[in-house]
Amino acid sequence: MDRFWSAPPVTRTLTALTFVQSALVYGGLLSGRYVIFRPGLVFKLFPEAWRLLSSFFLTGPRLDFILDLYFMFKYGSALETASPRFSLPGDFFTYVFFVATVITLTAGCLLDDVIFTHALIMAFVYTFAQDNKGRKASFFVVQLPVEFLPWAMLTWTLVLGGWHAAFSESMGIVAAHMYDFFSRIYPTFGGGRNYIVTPTVVRRIFSAHTSPTQHRAFGTAYRPIPEEQNPSQGRGSFQSPWSSRGPGRRLGGG
């Protein structure tokens, strides 16, 4: 439990909601038909808007229940705490919101799928693989380059679930690649503007609940402080570390 409560807030919340909702559904206390995505029930006069969220919080049955929670927690935590692309408070939340929106529009509205948990996990795995190119990863008992990890998981889904399940899950890769393209590739190599920016209100909310230091297995990481929360270090201003000291005197002087 200590590891869970020390996990980053977005991943911890996603994992907890997935555990609770899945346990209620598979325990027979909640009908799955109330949590799946149905465009006709969401986009109507009195929309059942909760389905936009609940469709991301249902694991597969039996062994998938454990594996889905494990993969969500493992790769979500790795991204939220260690990825350089989510170095500022709220950035990972913006990433999750973006990829979830793309998954809903593609897997939900185009492919008529009803549960998006696997696609969201696949987005995490794909982004993790992009951040850790050149390293090795374990897929069950097989060691492989981390770049191949999303495709190995997708092949596993194809074998067990068929083409539709694999195609729907691959929308997580599409969503994560779109985020990478619009936030990094296009601004860096195409000279364009990054339009995926964390709103100021979101950044302030997460800044209020985020410690500037973060303890990891290999040391302590320090999160940068946004300029709006550090007025003494704003643009165009620099304060010398010696400026608070008194006037200097020459050694040996009177």
Side-chain angles (χ1 to χ4, degrees):
M1 288 300 295
D2 289 341
R3 183 180 180 185
F4 174 79
W5 288 112
S6 63
V10 177
T11 301
R12 183 175 68 228
T13 302
L14 289 175
T15 306
L17 290 173
T18 304
F19 172 81
V20 171
Q21 180 173 279
S22 300
L24 291 174
V25 171
Y26 295 123
L29 300 177
L30 176 65
S31 174
R33 66 190 181 93
Y34 291 116
V35 302
I36 61 177
F37 177 78
R38 290 294 188 190
L41 298 177
V42 174
F43 305 108
K44 64 177 185 176
L45 181 59
F46 297 102
E48 299 180 8
W50 68 84
R51 295 177 184 270
L52 293 171
L53 298 177
S54 61
S55 53
F56 287 92
F57 303 143
L58 185 61
T59 69
R62 296 181 292 276
L63 182 60
D64 281 350
F65 176 80
I66 298 175
L67 293 178
D68 290 345
L69 290 172
Y70 170 75
F71 288 139
M72 177 179 288
F73 186 81
K74 176 181 179 180
Y75 294 106
S77 296
L79 290 178
E80 193 171 358
T81 59
S83 176
R85 66 179 82 210
F86 308 127
S87 58
L88 294 176
D91 284 351
F92 184 70
F93 175 85
T94 302
Y95 162 82
V96 172
F97 181 84
F98 178 87
V99 297
T101 300
V102 175
I103 290 170
T104 301
L105 295 175
T106 54
C109 297
L110 295 181
L111 301 181
D112 200 28
D113 201 5
V114 295
I115 294 296
F116 311 134
T117 311
H118 287 173
L120 180 62
I121 294 172
M122 184 60 68
F124 290 174
V125 174
Y126 179 83
T127 303
F128 176 84
Q130 295 300 304
D131 285 349
N132 293 273
K133 289 182 177 180
R135 299 177 60 182
K136 294 288 185 179
S138 297
F139 182 63
F140 294 106
V141 295
V142 179
Q143 287 281 331
L144 72 167
V146 71
E147 299 94 319
F148 297 156
L149 181 59
W151 309 107
M153 297 178 68
L154 203 59
T155 303
W156 181 261
T157 300
L158 175 63
V159 172
L160 296 182
W163 283 102
H164 181 78
F167 197 35
S168 177
E169 190 171 304
S170 70
M171 293 303 102
I173 296 179
V174 172
H177 184 72
M178 287 181 63
Y179 179 88
D180 192 36
F181 178 82
F182 287 115
S183 66
R184 184 184 65 86
I185 298 176
Y186 180 60
T188 303
F189 302 103
R193 177 183 174 184
N194 177 15
Y195 290 98
I196 308 177
V197 180
T198 302
T200 302
V201 62
V202 173
R203 202 177 296 286
R204 287 176 178 172
I205 291 173
F206 279 89
S207 296
H209 298 85
T210 302
S211 171
T213 62
Q214 197 169 52
H215 299 285
R216 301 177 183 167
F218 49 84
T220 301
Y222 292 85
R223 290 185 178 272
I225 301 176
E227 289 183 0
E228 62 268 18
Q229 298 190 25
N230 191 9
S232 65
Q233 300 294 332
R235 292 182 182 271
S237 64
F238 174 78
Q239 184 177 9
S240 169
W242 305 102
S243 60
S244 60
R245 301 178 184 274
R249 297 179 180 274
R250 179 184 298 179
L251 291 176

